[in-house]
Amino acid sequence: MKSISSKFMLFGMGSRRKFVYRPGGELLDAITFDLVKKWEIASEHFEPSEYSVTLETRDSRAIRIFEDEKAVWMDDNGDRQALTYGKPISLPRFEDHPQASLLRAIHGEILVNIMPFGPVPNLWVYPRPWYRDSAMMLMCMKQTKNLHLVEEWIAGLHKVWDRNNSGDPETDNFGQCLYMISLLSDRNHPLVDKIMKAVPQYRRDNYVIGRSDYAEHPVYQTKWLKYGLKSLEMDDQFKIPEVYDSYSSLFWMDYRTQHVDGAKFSEETVKNYPYLGWAEAHFYKTPPPMPVEMDSSPLTWEGAGSEAEYWRLLDPAKHGFYSEDDAKRKFSCPHTWHAAEIFLYYTDPRMG
């Protein structure tokens, strides 16, 4: 049930320069789309789980573009050169895990979407970090010991809300910020006091309520707030309301028993927003909502994001590595919330 047809390989995890390999033998800068290298190829082989593309040229040279803990490399018949370095990265192999190859590939799709200004849902259509997506990315990065890649971004957090959905002050941002701060700092981070001063405006009785994705989600929002307070070992006077909330099942990290069951996400919704389906499956401990096709890259996506700047896909499509159909249908790939939910689904020991 893959919703995208684009095929390319991104390189440049963390703070490294971003590259994209275009099928047919071209390596481009993934931001400026300047041509870096071109080959006349006889064959090519994508290995997302090895962060690698292997080429055979028409004159029988073996070319390999790949990424490891130290750098992005290009190996031309045994002559290896680094294309970019940046901060060292931890790339666990997940050796004993039945989904080791998938976890490696998905992990790469998360790390390659860390930009100089912070972690983003997609490096092309989202020019700013989103707290919700970032929090899920950082849960994965905590497991893989890569939080140093966002240390400066977390230290510099100063806004209570990201205001990415038409400027809305989304109430779930309270807990997401507190949680992210807890990963590398403590309650003395200057944003914590700002958040706690803002919370009373959204308090109703002993829970919080406001807008998230243009609707009220008091269960989801209160769960996030409680989780953030707990992560910072702060006083928690809040209780999760006993009401139906369609977003309650997106919060599988804790408070699972505090949930009023109701309608689940439709198949059509999950096609566009697959992270909703993966989170819901994680919450209910049910099988994955869709297979993950490991024969191509990228593996993750989002469709019809309300605030995604899809016009930014015109250049990738013009340069031939991004599907015009995906761009016209408003599908961005890869997508980090989707990647994070897959990663966390398979690494949660409670799902065994």
Side-chain angles (χ1 to χ4, degrees):
M1 199 172 74
K2 194 171 185 178
S3 296
I4 54 173
S5 57
S6 295
K7 183 175 181 179
F8 53 84
M9 180 74 81
L10 279 166
F11 300 93
M13 302 181 207
S15 61
R16 297 168 183 168
R17 180 184 175 188
K18 313 296 182 190
F19 297 96
V20 59
Y21 175 78
R22 173 185 178 271
E26 290 187 356
L27 185 67
L28 309 175
D29 184 291
I31 305 303
T32 66
F33 309 113
D34 292 335
L35 182 65
V36 176
K37 193 74 176 177
K38 184 175 182 178
W39 301 270
E40 295 293 328
I41 64 168
S43 66
E44 61 190 2
H45 178 59
F46 284 61
E47 287 186 279
S49 64
E50 300 299 329
Y51 320 115
S52 168
V53 176
T54 304
L55 316 175
E56 181 183 353
T57 65
R58 291 182 181 175
D59 58 358
S60 300
R61 285 162 40 230
I63 309 292
R64 185 171 178 239
I65 308 155
F66 65 99
E67 187 159 8
D68 63 15
E69 290 86 350
K70 295 180 180 179
V72 177
W73 304 90
M74 181 175 66
D75 188 301
D76 186 340
N77 253 15
D79 180 16
R80 179 188 295 189
Q81 68 176 91
L83 299 177
T84 179
Y85 285 101
K87 292 182 180 179
I89 290 169
S90 171
L91 294 175
R93 300 290 298 173
F94 308 102
E95 294 288 5
D96 298 324
H97 198 288
Q99 297 289 342
S101 294
L102 173 59
L103 290 174
R104 292 197 300 270
I106 289 296
H107 186 218
E109 293 198 358
I110 293 169
L111 297 185
V112 81
N113 280 288
I114 297 173
M115 300 296 283
F117 46 84
V120 295
N122 173 272
L123 75 168
W124 291 308
V125 304
Y126 287 103
R128 293 170 297 280
W130 288 56
Y131 288 162
R132 187 180 309 140
D133 303 64
S134 296
M136 303 310 296
M137 292 172 71
L138 268 57
M139 282 187 194
C140 305
M141 293 165 64
K142 178 184 178 182
Q143 286 193 39
T144 62
K145 297 180 172 57
N146 279 300
L147 290 174
H148 63 284
L149 300 175
V150 292
E151 187 172 8
E152 293 175 2
W153 179 71
I154 290 177
L157 288 174
H158 61 283
K159 295 181 179 179
V160 175
W161 305 281
D162 60 35
R163 293 189 180 273
N164 281 326
N165 267 331
S166 298
D168 274 0
E170 296 186 294
T171 312
D172 55 315
N173 285 174
F174 295 148
Q176 290 149 6
C177 280
L178 294 175
Y179 167 72
M180 290 191 290
I181 288 167
S182 78
L183 297 174
L184 286 169
S185 186
D186 55 31
R187 67 183 70 185
N188 294 313
H189 188 292
L191 183 54
V192 173
D193 188 51
K194 289 183 181 180
I195 291 171
M196 299 315 296
K197 287 180 179 177
V199 165
Q201 303 171 53
Y202 298 86
R203 182 167 183 166
R204 182 180 298 174
D205 298 326
N206 52 9
Y207 61 91
V208 289
I209 186 169
R211 282 160 62 88
S212 294
D213 286 341
Y214 308 108
E216 292 183 342
H217 292 290
V219 176
Y220 179 71
Q221 294 158 347
T222 304
K223 285 182 175 182
W224 258 119
L225 177 57
K226 289 175 67 66
Y227 195 67
L229 292 169
K230 179 181 177 181
S231 298
L232 281 171
E233 299 181 345
M234 295 176 66
D235 183 45
D236 176 10
Q237 301 177 354
F238 296 90
K239 292 186 178 180
I240 297 164
E242 296 181 13
V243 297
Y244 169 70
D245 180 347
S246 62
Y247 271 27
S248 175
S249 61
L250 299 184
F251 198 95
W252 48 261
M253 293 75 83
D254 205 343
Y255 321 115
R256 289 195 192 203
T257 60
Q258 292 157 282
H259 172 75
V260 175
D261 214 2
K264 296 180 174 58
F265 296 109
S266 69
E267 183 177 334
E268 193 60 34
T269 296
V270 172
K271 283 182 181 178
N272 281 340
Y273 314 108
Y275 40 80
L276 302 181
W278 280 91
E280 186 176 72
H282 198 162
F283 182 89
Y284 287 108
K285 296 185 179 180
T286 56
M290 61 188 71
V292 182
E293 299 174 15
M294 286 290 293
D295 59 343
S296 65
S297 171
L299 305 178
T300 59
W301 69 88
E302 177 194 55
S306 61
E307 299 297 326
E309 299 181 11
Y310 291 107
W311 61 268
R312 295 177 181 271
L313 295 178
L314 294 176
D315 272 342
K318 183 176 69 175
H319 284 85
F321 66 86
Y322 205 95
S323 158
E324 288 189 8
D325 181 61
D326 288 346
K328 288 177 181 177
R329 293 186 303 119
K330 297 184 177 180
F331 273 83
S332 62
C333 55
H335 193 276
T336 54
W337 189 2
H338 184 188
E341 291 292 358
I342 297 173
F343 184 96
L344 295 164
Y345 178 98
Y346 282 118
T347 56
D348 187 344
R350 297 173 296 182
M351 297 299 290

